[in-house]
Amino acid sequence: MQSCNRKLVLVMLFGAFGSTAMTGLATASLSGSDHIIFQKGKRFGPGDVALHVGEHITVVNDDDNFVHQAYVESETFAFDSGDIEPGARAVITFPTEGDFTVLCGVHPKMKLAVHVR
């Protein structure tokens, strides 16, 4: 019986570790100062991100046949990536606190909300 209990405990520990590892993989792009944002299907994914002042996002065009763009216009900060070809990326660093909207000049309905604290 003791052997059975050990196996059960090991299975539970490995299950918990595996679950934690998979969660870590799913959120790895959103931890620390490297936040990966994908452009695919005329959408930003995720559509909302929270940052600290000075952190950046990396916008990756994950579409095979669409050119995208990423730009920000606000009173305190402006950025324009120009064309982002399929497979290419642009890095946007947010130097000031505030709520920003990243837009795609090619697809005006694409919006990414960025909250910087």
Side-chain angles (χ1 to χ4, degrees):
M1 186 71 174
Q2 205 173 32
S3 176
C4 240
N5 286 342
R6 262 193 230 153
K7 287 180 184 176
L8 179 59
V9 168
L10 286 174
V11 167
M12 290 173 62
L13 284 174
F14 282 122
F17 175 75
S19 174
T20 302
M22 292 306 285
T23 301
L25 288 174
T27 60
S29 65
L30 298 178
S31 64
S33 62
D34 192 19
H35 304 267
I36 306 296
I37 306 295
F38 293 97
Q39 293 175 305
K40 185 162 181 83
K42 298 182 184 177
R43 294 177 187 241
F44 286 101
D48 193 286
V49 66
L51 308 175
H52 294 287
V53 172
E55 287 186 325
H56 65 271
I57 61 172
T58 301
V59 179
V60 179
N61 182 345
D62 206 26
D63 270 317
D64 292 332
N65 54 1
F66 287 127
V67 171
H68 289 290
Q69 181 190 24
Y71 75 91
V72 178
E73 288 182 8
S74 76
E75 293 178 13
T76 59
F77 171 65
F79 175 86
D80 187 343
S81 68
D83 288 349
I84 304 172
E85 298 291 331
R89 55 186 60 214
V91 177
I92 308 171
T93 302
F94 291 83
T96 60
E97 204 172 90
D99 293 316
F100 303 93
T101 302
V102 179
L103 301 165
C104 175
V106 180
H107 306 101
K109 291 184 180 182
M110 289 178 66
K111 295 180 182 177
L112 165 66
V114 179
H115 311 285
V116 182
R117 304 290 174 248

